[in-house]
Amino acid sequence: MVKGCGDGGAESGDGGAASASPRVEEPPPVPPATASPPAAATGALPVPTDVSPTADSWEAEADDALLTPEENNEPDDEEIEQQEDGELTKKIPKKKPPRVEDTCSKKEHVNVVFIGHVDAGKSTIGGQIMSLTGMVDKRTLEKYEREAREKSRESWYLSWALDTNQEERDKGKTVEVGRAYFETDKKHFTILDAPGHKSFVPNMIGGAAQADLAVLVISARKGEFETGFDRGGQTREHAMLAKTAGVKHLVALVNKMDDPTVNWDEKRYNECRDKIMPYLKKLGFNPAKDLSFLPVSGQTGQGLLERVTEEICPWYRGPSFIQLIDELPSLNRKMDGPFIMPVVDKYKDMGTVLMGKVEAGVTRKGQTLFLMPNRVQVTVDQLWSDDIEVTSIGPGENVKVKLKGIEEEDVSPGFVLCDTAEPITTGRVFDAQVVILEHKSIICAGYSAVMHIHCAAEEVTVKALICLVDKKTGEKSKTRPRFVKQDQVAIMRIECAGVICLEPFKKFAQMGRFTLRDENKTIAIGKVLKVVE
């Protein structure tokens, strides 16, 4: 069993301090009445995806640590575990209880977040996909269409499949992250419909933190593309937040191609693509591997499920959107590590129900877990994966977990459900490498902002600046800087207002990358190097 996600990376370099504290080894909890994990619950063995960093990708050195070797599906009766100090300790052989068939979803789970400027058509495309894949029936859509017509909003009816609350429907603006799902022959997709409005960016970050794949919706309509992309528009910020949230692949949908001002014009499509491409490359997306462009129309559904017909669009002969995301290489999930699930949301329903995406490991009904950072012991009562009740859940699934042993008011978004044998690191002070993206004035010790890390948002203060890092060579400055400004990279010590759950980026990237926001703007992105206290 490999500790963490860095294949021992935590012991070398900066991560050393994080694992220096002595650990008391507890015997692993015996799982109740279910035998070893189901053989490759994701359906297919993971294929290591080729991640080639671009010259300016600040995650370059960490990317290879995210690829784990192929997992063994069946653990042996007696596993031998390598301890940090190099000793081999033999685990006590588990008595195998009689086998009970595990119910869990068999297809690979992919979480897709729709991002982009307000009114680009994110919710409409999401609704259209649900309609085309049969997840919303005709009658419901006809009802939405009638209601929308009564409010003279007939072009919005598809978005109502995802914008379910009244305020969102009245204003035509998504506020909370809408959820829905659809399936293809190979994969199970969860749609996360993120808000585009800049007042709701914190909600959007929560959505992107759960996604594997981001769909950037760009409106091709004359004038709309420009407002979305120029200063103050959300297209740039959303693409950057998706990259920081660890989204592996970006699909840019050039939407509203059927608009009278566009009329499936190739020139307009190329113009939109060529304007945004340099920016996406600068963020570190590689057009050869993790970036795709497609022309579509959300309102008519052309180019989403089926290819666009030749009469309408003779110049584009590539796959449709759903074909494209179905063919993407398998994501490498960490099945064998300790269980980790950051909490996105919670509610009361005959008990405490937590929602979130499983980042690593597997858990089953009846298992005992820790809720960090408070270290409360809880028992799993019921599990749902995309609203279907199951007895075990694995990495990549969007789940609801009903717990015994904790009250709903004692949980906040950003708490983490994890293994009792190997709980997640918690801390208040940590060192991080930070890239300042845009900030008018200088940043020095004492500066405070809001940090978004996985699903948590916490107020933080810069305690000290340690050194500057040269963007091109990666060399660290010998002297301590007095301040940092826009476009610089620095290593700094950051203090949080309270204790939060986090891991060094090398050990587990998903829990170690963050964004800093101030005055409704994203000012910096960073990664945790080591947890100090």
Side-chain angles (χ1 to χ4, degrees), residues 196-388:
H197 204 274
K198 73 161 169 274
S199 336
F200 306 123
V201 167
N203 296 6
M204 179 260 151
I205 295 176
Q210 306 163 56
D212 307 299
L213 167 73
V215 178
L216 180 63
V217 182
I218 308 162
S219 165
R221 187 182 280 166
K222 277 253 175 345
E224 273 188 18
F225 169 72
E226 287 71 12
T227 42
F229 186 62
D230 295 341
R231 288 256 165 246
Q234 284 332 99
T235 307
R236 288 166 184 265
E237 185 176 23
H238 275 198
M240 178 198 64
L241 290 170
K243 183 68 186 164
T244 328
V247 165
K248 296 280 181 289
H249 197 105
L250 183 78
V251 180
L253 292 185
V254 182
N255 188 23
K256 306 196 183 182
M257 290 297 291
D258 61 323
D259 191 78
T261 62
V262 186
N263 215 350
W264 294 94
D265 177 24
E266 186 176 6
K267 268 202 202 106
R268 178 62 174 166
Y269 170 76
N270 290 342
E271 180 190 355
C272 295
R273 188 190 60 195
D274 298 344
K275 266 191 187 163
I276 199 164
M277 185 74 98
Y279 181 71
L280 297 176
K281 276 187 187 159
K282 190 178 141 195
L283 290 178
F285 285 107
N286 175 350
K289 296 210 171 60
D290 42 23
L291 186 55
S292 327
F293 278 83
L294 304 175
V296 298
S297 157
Q299 197 64 47
T300 60
Q302 287 155 323
L304 291 176
L305 183 61
E306 302 290 329
R307 287 180 181 192
V308 191
T309 54
E310 217 161 320
E311 301 85 80
I312 299 174
C313 178
W315 47 269
Y316 176 78
R317 300 293 354 110
S320 72
F321 171 62
I322 290 178
Q323 281 167 341
L324 177 89
I325 59 176
D326 206 26
E327 294 303 322
L328 286 178
S330 224
L331 298 149
N332 226 3
R333 306 280 195 202
K334 205 168 167 45
M335 297 292 291
D336 56 355
F339 180 74
I340 296 175
M341 183 196 110
V343 177
V344 180
D345 210 353
K346 51 155 192 180
Y347 61 90
K348 233 188 178 118
D349 178 17
M350 324 261 294
T352 305
V353 182
L354 307 185
M355 294 161 72
K357 172 190 161 195
V358 182
E359 291 295 352
V362 177
T363 195
R364 303 185 162 64
K365 213 168 148 167
Q367 206 158 339
T368 303
L369 299 170
F370 270 160
L371 188 62
M372 302 294 276
N374 298 349
R375 220 183 167 86
V376 180
Q377 202 166 353
V378 292
T379 311
V380 178
D381 194 16
Q382 270 177 299
L383 297 166
W384 294 268
S385 172
D386 269 329
D387 300 334
I388 297 153

Side-chain angles (χ1 to χ4, degrees), residues 14 58 429-436 451 453 460 462-469 476 484 489-495 502-505 512-516 524-532:
D14 309 36
W58 59 284
V429 181
F430 62 93
D431 291 349
Q433 182 171 322
V434 181
V435 187
I436 313 297
M451 171 175 79
I453 181 163
V460 296
V462 176
K463 222 174 155 182
L465 301 173
I466 298 169
C467 62
L468 289 174
V469 180
K476 296 173 180 166
V484 285
V489 182
I491 291 179
M492 49 179 81
R493 182 154 290 183
I494 296 176
E495 181 170 14
L502 73 173
E503 287 284 1
F505 184 84
R513 44 166 88 86
F514 61 87
T515 35
L516 294 177
I525 56 179
K527 55 183 180 183
V528 178
L529 298 177
K530 70 174 184 200
V531 182
V532 182

Side-chain angles (χ1 to χ4, degrees), residues 1 23-29 338 368 370 375 418-423:
M1 189 153 160
R23 270 177 55 223
V24 182
E25 190 61 18
E26 299 176 22
T368 303
F370 270 160
R375 220 183 167 86
C418 57
D419 225 308
T420 47
E422 209 173 299

Side-chain angles (χ1 to χ4, degrees), residues 460-480:
V460 296
T461 309
V462 176
K463 222 174 155 182
L465 301 173
I466 298 169
C467 62
L468 289 174
V469 180
D470 187 305
K471 266 188 168 173
K472 295 209 165 51
T473 63
E475 278 176 29
K476 296 173 180 166
S477 65
K478 300 280 181 283
T479 53
R480 287 199 160 202

Side-chain angles (χ1 to χ4, degrees), residues 29-324:
V30 179
T34 51
S36 45
T42 47
L45 274 177
V47 181
T49 40
D50 186 346
V51 186
S52 61
T54 42
D56 48 1
S57 167
W58 59 284
E59 292 181 11
E61 78 283 11
D63 267 328
D64 45 53
L66 301 182
L67 300 178
T68 52
E70 291 203 348
E71 284 92 11
N72 291 327
N73 297 330
E74 294 282 323
D76 279 329
D77 284 17
E78 300 175 22
E79 291 179 345
I80 295 179
E81 195 174 48
Q82 181 102 26
Q83 292 308 85
E84 267 118 343
D85 49 11
E87 287 176 25
L88 289 172
T89 56
K90 233 177 186 194
K91 275 195 183 174
I92 306 118
K94 294 179 197 149
K95 286 213 165 64
K96 284 201 175 177
R99 292 207 162 202
V100 175
E101 198 47 49
D102 247 355
T103 57
C104 61
S105 46
K106 299 285 185 281
K107 292 181 183 176
E108 183 186 9
H109 276 245
V110 180
N111 299 287
V112 186
V113 66
F114 281 91
I115 57 176
H117 192 63
V118 102
D119 263 358
K122 299 181 290 297
S123 302
T124 299
I125 287 180
Q128 184 66 267
I129 287 173
M130 288 169 66
S131 151
L132 293 170
T133 52
M135 285 293 158
V136 183
D137 56 36
K138 265 222 160 90
R139 286 189 28 216
T140 316
L141 276 177
E142 280 163 9
K143 179 179 131 220
Y144 290 159
E145 199 167 2
R146 271 202 311 279
E147 289 171 12
R149 200 175 293 120
E150 281 161 20
K151 296 188 173 174
S152 43
R153 296 271 186 267
E154 50 276 342
S155 69
W156 289 357
Y157 77 97
L158 285 161
S159 69
W160 286 14
L162 285 159
D163 290 348
T164 46
N165 72 24
Q166 212 43 55
E167 177 198 11
E168 291 182 322
R169 291 182 173 184
D170 291 346
K171 295 190 176 150
K173 279 193 191 94
T174 306
V175 178
E176 286 158 17
V177 176
R179 287 162 181 278
Y181 56 90
F182 67 93
E183 291 196 341
T184 59
D185 295 340
K186 298 181 194 164
K187 295 179 184 172
H188 176 106
F189 292 94
T190 302
I191 301 179
L192 301 157
D193 175 34
H197 204 274
K198 73 161 169 274
S199 336
F200 306 123
V201 167
N203 296 6
M204 179 260 151
I205 295 176
Q210 306 163 56
D212 307 299
L213 167 73
V215 178
L216 180 63
V217 182
I218 308 162
S219 165
R221 187 182 280 166
K222 277 253 175 345
E224 273 188 18
F225 169 72
E226 287 71 12
T227 42
F229 186 62
D230 295 341
R231 288 256 165 246
Q234 284 332 99
T235 307
R236 288 166 184 265
E237 185 176 23
H238 275 198
M240 178 198 64
L241 290 170
K243 183 68 186 164
T244 328
V247 165
K248 296 280 181 289
H249 197 105
L250 183 78
V251 180
L253 292 185
V254 182
N255 188 23
K256 306 196 183 182
M257 290 297 291
D258 61 323
D259 191 78
T261 62
V262 186
N263 215 350
W264 294 94
D265 177 24
E266 186 176 6
K267 268 202 202 106
R268 178 62 174 166
Y269 170 76
N270 290 342
E271 180 190 355
C272 295
R273 188 190 60 195
D274 298 344
K275 266 191 187 163
I276 199 164
M277 185 74 98
Y279 181 71
L280 297 176
K281 276 187 187 159
K282 190 178 141 195
L283 290 178
F285 285 107
N286 175 350
K289 296 210 171 60
D290 42 23
L291 186 55
S292 327
F293 278 83
L294 304 175
V296 298
S297 157
Q299 197 64 47
T300 60
Q302 287 155 323
L304 291 176
L305 183 61
E306 302 290 329
R307 287 180 181 192
V308 191
T309 54
E310 217 161 320
E311 301 85 80
I312 299 174
C313 178
W315 47 269
Y316 176 78
R317 300 293 354 110
S320 72
F321 171 62
I322 290 178
Q323 281 167 341
L324 177 89

